[in-house]
Amino acid sequence: MASAKTQKIIIIGAGVIGAVIAYNLSRRSGNSITVLERATPGSGASGHSFAWVNAFGKDPREYHTLNRRSLDIWYRLAHQLNEDIGIHYGGEMRWENTKQRAAELQHRIQKLQSWGYPCKLITSDEMLLLEPELSSGPIEAASYSEADIHIETDKFISVCLDRAMEFGVSLHTEHNVTDIIIDKGRIVAVKTDDAEFLCDVVVFACGIQTTELAALAGVQIPQQRSPGIVIKTSPCATVLHNVAVIHAPSVDVNHQPLHLRQLADGTLRIGQGTQEGINRDDSQEHADTLLAQAKTYLPAIGTADAIPTPVGYRPMPLDGFPILGFTKAVPNLYIALMHSGVTLAPLVGEMATLEILDGARVDWFNPYRLERLQ
Ligand SMILES: Cc1cc2nc3c(=O)[nH]c(=O)nc-3n(C[C@H](O)[C@H](O)[C@H](O)COP(=O)(O)OP(=O)(O)OC[C@H]3O[C@@H](n4cnc5c(N)ncnc54)[C@H](O)[C@@H]3O)c2cc1C
């Protein structure tokens, strides 16, 4: 039997993607794996995420299926890790209060059902059975997507990295990668402010900084700027008893729809608009307004305070779809850059491992190779 080749693998970035890749790689013995993180784990987009794991609004069909595959793997990964990763089961519930948006929701549910997504239209009585604290106002249509979950990214990252380190991975925080050394077309070393790490393979899991770092290797990664805000609150009574995430319509024409989830410590996370909505308003006033809207639907939130959070930037390739795989220009450079990274993390962790360690080319990733953008 041929023995597997030992490789020195460097992962740059310890967000959900770097952490899950490190965990998956570490489960296969014989390689030397190092994670370099310029700040602290989860300090990039992962720490600002709404972290709704879903394939609800993902088009076209192929991209929906990619997300769906990962959503299904989340259940297996949670079982495998068997620790508190802040996973909240229970599905996603939403409703609409205008005829036009109700028609759009009905159409979406019909399409998702034809794709085999476990979702359905529900009545106002069924909504109240799921969430008794809800004061929904007028309802034109409502739906429930049973498989959706949400994650507490800080817990997940920390469990993945702890497991990876138990399997021998070295994690270096506060190690800012500043240079990439190329020899004969391959990356041979990665430099931080005060150290140099030799490598056979480098994985870029560095979110929005991927473009800047790839340029050092002569690789162009086109990205768009996508700022978003998810505010926090102080802990409050349990306002969501069953579902993991709700999407509520705008309270009036001056406001956007909102999405909300409740964590195990009782705090809420609230965002507005769509998952990709642009928002740079990190003021207390904006946070107060969002919370006030949420209270109209969930009065049991009571006296919780709104805590503004800094703007988070979504890693967002130019066409909105992931960039996954080794690059043709620099064959030992593996890119893992994507929006919806919380949803996609388990799939990316497993499939990237097959591509990196076994030389497989997973055809599910073929539409998402970098070369499509060049
Ligand atoms: C407001 C908002 C809402 C979102 N909502 C959802 C959602 O509901 N569902 C969903 O699935 N996704 C959502 N996302 C997207 C999701 O959060 C991201 O796709 C995911 O977190 C990306 O993870 P990552 O590990 O690739 O990147 P990041 O979390 O950004 O991690 C990259 C890491 O690399 C490090 N790094 C960067 N440069 C260097 C360097 N030079 N040297 C060393 N380290 C470096 C950074 O410090 C960072 O820790 C949302 C994102 C935002 C901002």
Side-chain angles (χ1 to χ4, degrees), residues 12-18 36-54 58 175-178 205-209 213 226 228-230 275 312-315 336-344:
I12 306 178
V16 285
I17 297 300
L36 302 174
E37 164 55 52
R38 69 173 180 177
T40 51
S43 53
S46 301
H48 292 84
S49 186
F50 186 64
W52 169 36
V53 174
N54 75 99
K58 313 288 170 75
H175 273 60
N176 184 29
V177 173
T178 52
C206 39
I208 58 166
Q209 275 79 33
L213 278 193
S226 183
I229 301 264
V230 176
Q275 294 305 305
Y313 287 88
R314 304 175 184 92
L337 172 69
M338 74 216 74
H339 177 52
S340 287
V342 180
T343 300
L344 293 169

Side-chain angles (χ1 to χ4, degrees), residues 189-316:
V190 161
K191 280 191 174 180
T192 61
D193 290 324
D194 46 21
E196 183 170 308
F197 297 82
L198 300 179
C199 57
D200 300 307
V201 173
V202 180
V203 180
F204 279 12
C206 39
I208 58 166
Q209 275 79 33
T210 302
T211 301
E212 201 179 306
L213 278 193
L216 296 173
V219 174
Q220 276 191 2
I221 310 265
Q223 262 195 87
Q224 43 177 306
R225 298 281 276 179
S226 183
I229 301 264
V230 176
I231 67 144
K232 300 180 182 176
T233 70
S234 56
C236 63
T238 303
V239 293
L240 293 184
H241 295 273
N242 290 299
V243 305
V245 170
I246 61 168
H247 279 80
S250 39
V251 287
D252 57 48
V253 287
N254 300 318
H255 294 94
Q256 294 194 39
L258 56 89
H259 36 276
L260 180 147
R261 64 186 177 112
Q262 187 163 32
L263 278 59
D265 64 5
T267 62
L268 304 174
R269 299 291 180 273
I270 311 172
Q272 68 172 28
T274 65
Q275 294 305 305
E276 289 77 32
I278 301 295
N279 187 2
R280 292 187 181 81
D281 189 349
D282 57 1
S283 65
Q284 180 71 52
E285 196 187 342
H286 173 69
D288 289 341
T289 308
L290 265 187
L291 180 57
Q293 282 172 260
K295 281 182 190 172
T296 64
Y297 293 128
L298 289 164
I301 291 173
T303 55
D305 296 318
I307 304 167
T309 54
V311 181
Y313 287 88
R314 304 175 184 92
M316 189 68 87

